[in-house]
Amino acid sequence: MTDFVILAAQRTGSNLLCTLLNSHPEILCHHEIFNPRGPIYAVTHREGTLDFGSIEERDRDPFSFLDRVWRTRCGHSCVGFKMTQDQAEPVLQRVLARPSIKKIVLRRRNKIKTYVSQKISQRLDEWEVYDSQELAPRRPRVNVDVDQLREQIASNERFYSAIGEALKPWPDLYVEIVYESLSSRSLHQRLLDFLAVAARDVELKPASIKQNSSNLEDLVSNYAELASALTGSELEEELHARND
């Protein structure tokens, strides 16, 4: 039996990893069970088949809620969920302190795309899409304030730095991966080995749909202004990157 947690600074992008892992027959991967709006269960259990308790019950006793998550395995040998920063800090600290829980630390290399994706999702209130027909017909273009961008980057780096410090005693019990490599079969095998589940020649397939263009020029309304502001900085290359 394996328990695991996905740790990501931002909500956007990490849903892809949740559905990817959940596609394995031995893995049950929930999404943000500590989301302030309410628990977000695995995509295969959103028809009322699971109920760990109300928002009020969860927030009143988050540790009992967490225990119910671990106990409810639904026939799976490996159970996990996702946490982002600013969600249930006491739970995060307990999870980090327990070596029995494996951790997958997910980053996105492109910090500007992290910021822009977050802003678009906030604008649309659209965080997970599983059917192309459900996508907003027109993706909004957002204004990027350089100071706000750098503030978010700094906040995310503090989150990852704190996690890295907390996990130093158990280097074998966590793995760091990047969003841009989530389509890699070698990464899939690495994750399955880490979670101690059989590969079984199973091809991991995400259920979520890519929402935004890979070209930031399509998404940023003040692109020229931003390009000028970032010229010569460590972020200049990321602004022009075309990969996901």
Side-chain angles (χ1 to χ4, degrees), residues 1-7 17-19 21-22 26-34 40-43 45 50 52 66 69-73 76-83 95 101-104 195 197:
M1 297 290 186
T2 303
D3 297 333
F4 72 94
V5 173
I6 297 169
L7 301 169
L17 177 57
C18 291
T19 62
L21 292 175
N22 197 67
E26 293 183 41
I27 300 175
L28 175 60
C29 185
H30 299 293
H31 291 228
E32 297 165 43
I33 61 170
F34 289 99
I40 304 177
Y41 299 108
V43 291
H45 290 276
L50 288 182
F52 297 142
L66 181 61
V69 173
W70 297 136
R71 290 198 310 267
T72 309
R73 309 196 76 85
H76 298 81
S77 63
C78 186
V79 176
F81 62 94
K82 176 182 71 169
M83 290 193 80
V95 164
I101 300 170
K102 294 190 174 184
K103 290 85 177 177
I104 300 173
L195 295 175
V197 295

Side-chain angles (χ1 to χ4, degrees), residues 29-242:
C29 185
H30 299 293
H31 291 228
E32 297 165 43
I33 61 170
F34 289 99
N35 185 290
R37 295 185 181 183
I40 304 177
Y41 299 108
V43 291
T44 47
H45 290 276
R46 295 190 183 174
E47 303 300 324
T49 54
L50 288 182
D51 183 4
F52 297 142
S54 67
I55 298 175
E56 292 75 21
E57 290 171 324
R58 180 196 67 185
D59 295 347
R60 185 168 57 249
D61 191 350
F63 298 136
S64 293
F65 182 89
L66 181 61
D67 288 340
R68 287 195 292 277
V69 173
W70 297 136
R71 290 198 310 267
T72 309
R73 309 196 76 85
C74 301
H76 298 81
S77 63
C78 186
V79 176
F81 62 94
K82 176 182 71 169
M83 290 193 80
T84 62
Q85 61 178 322
D86 302 323
Q87 288 185 0
E89 184 65 24
V91 173
L92 174 61
Q93 294 308 316
R94 173 171 288 197
V95 164
L96 290 174
R98 289 193 172 180
S100 59
I101 300 170
K102 294 190 174 184
K103 290 85 177 177
I104 300 173
V105 182
L106 176 66
R107 290 177 177 263
R108 188 169 184 169
R109 285 196 188 104
N110 195 305
K111 304 176 186 67
I112 304 175
K113 288 183 178 179
T114 300
Y115 176 84
V116 170
S117 295
Q118 186 86 355
K119 287 201 73 171
I120 291 174
S121 290
Q122 288 171 339
R123 174 86 62 84
L124 296 172
D125 196 21
E126 182 180 82
W127 301 92
E128 301 177 82
V129 179
Y130 301 103
D131 185 336
S132 57
Q133 295 183 347
E134 296 176 0
L135 273 174
R138 245 182 117 179
R139 308 307 292 174
R141 301 179 82 222
V142 297
N143 183 278
V144 175
D145 179 279
V146 175
D147 291 337
Q148 290 180 2
L149 169 65
R150 291 193 177 280
E151 284 174 11
Q152 178 179 287
I153 290 172
S155 175
N156 291 349
E157 288 306 309
R158 286 193 295 271
F159 174 76
Y160 287 118
S161 177
I163 288 174
E165 192 64 30
L167 296 181
K168 269 186 181 178
W170 307 288
D172 297 331
L173 295 178
Y174 75 96
V175 61
E176 293 186 89
I177 63 173
V178 294
Y179 168 83
E180 289 84 353
S181 297
L182 287 180
S183 62
S184 165
R185 294 292 295 274
S186 61
L187 175 61
H188 297 177
Q189 184 62 59
R190 181 185 172 203
L191 288 171
L192 296 180
D193 290 343
F194 175 69
L195 295 175
V197 295
R200 292 185 182 176
D201 297 322
V202 173
E203 182 180 355
L204 299 184
K205 296 181 179 180
S208 56
I209 294 171
K210 176 176 165 57
Q211 298 175 48
N212 298 314
S213 169
S214 297
N215 186 349
L216 281 167
E217 196 166 4
D218 297 334
L219 305 174
V220 177
S221 58
N222 61 328
Y223 185 87
E225 176 189 342
L226 182 63
S228 176
L230 296 181
T231 298
S233 76
E234 77 285 3
L235 296 173
E236 181 179 9
E237 185 176 347
E238 294 184 13
L239 182 66
H240 303 297
R242 293 294 187 267

